[in-house]
Amino acid sequence: AQTVTQSQPEMSVQEAETVTLSCTYDTSESDYYLFWYKQPPSRQMILVIRQEAYKQQNATENRFSVNFQKAAKSFSLKISDSQLGDAAMYFCAYRSGRASELSFGAGTTVTVRA
Amino acid sequence: NAGVTQTPKFQVLKTGQSMTLQCAQDMNHEYMSWYRQDPGMGLRLIHYSVGAGITDQGEVPNGYNVSRSTTEDFPLRLLSAAPSQTSVYFCASSYSSGTYNEQFFGPGTRLTVL
């Protein structure tokens, strides 16, 4: 399995502020995909954002954006204008272009302070 | 479209008991998989299937059996439950081909083995 590392077990952010979650991965492949999943207390896994390795442009979905640094094998998630509903566990995940299996990081718990 | 369904949502077993976690999807996805989620470890792949009649092992397959007799169903069997199998189990499905192959997750089963 590919190694995906999330070095921040917990992050706290004030409502309306910005928080950045870090993720690094290890691969020798050139064709792959990266994802951020959100897991609220309901336990449901929700896809937040995704990035193809061959695309240089960073993906953006509303208040969520990524900073994809291919050479550094880094894939951070920025949550802007944080809302109380953003409080959740966030997982970074990797998928090879040749397969369907996902490799997950350990997760980062985000707390939003009102 | 029910998406990916899992039953039961909660289960308590005694050591040595066997049980089957059910997973079904109605999206005609070729690929199905089982993950387990443990604190501090993210989601780890147990078994996966790329189509009816085809299964393979993931990262942590010991103690689990799977079969795929239909496209829709992918049950996970615990042959002789052990306390180390206490975890939250997720089933996921996706198409096998295509750009993103977004994986859709079921709601999870929380299993406790006493």
Side-chain angles (χ1 to χ4, degrees), chain B residues 42-53:
Chain B
L43 279 74
R44 292 180 294 168
L45 184 65
I46 305 171
H47 285 285
Y48 65 95
S49 169
V50 297

Side-chain angles (χ1 to χ4, degrees), chain A residues 79-94:
Chain A
I79 306 174
S80 304
D81 185 25
S82 296
Q83 301 175 0
L84 296 177
D86 295 333
M89 176 86 81
Y90 287 82
F91 291 99
C92 178
Y94 167 100

Side-chain angles (χ1 to χ4, degrees), chain B residues 35-46:
Chain B
Y35 296 87
R36 60 176 287 172
Q37 180 180 7
D38 301 293
M41 303 189 75
L43 279 74
R44 292 180 294 168
L45 184 65
I46 305 171

Side-chain angles (χ1 to χ4, degrees), chain A residues 1 33 35 37 39 42-45 47 50-52 54-55 89 91 95 99-102 104-107, chain B residues 9-10 31 35 37 40-43 45 48 88 90 95-96 99-103 105-110:
Chain A
Y33 302 88
F35 306 85
Y37 281 87
Q39 187 182 46
S42 67
R43 209 165 64 198
Q44 183 68 49
M45 294 289 287
L47 180 63
R50 53 199 172 195
Q51 174 86 39
E52 299 110 310
Y54 63 83
K55 283 192 176 178
M89 176 86 81
F91 291 99
R95 182 177 73 77
S100 296
E101 304 83 72
L102 291 170
F104 286 88
Chain B
K9 285 189 168 49
F10 302 92
Y31 178 84
Y35 296 87
Q37 180 180 7
M41 303 189 75
L43 279 74
L45 184 65
Y48 65 95
V88 178
F90 288 96
Y95 292 111
S96 291
T99 302
Y100 285 117
N101 295 6
E102 177 183 347
Q103 290 207 18
F105 285 83
T109 295
R110 180 176 292 278

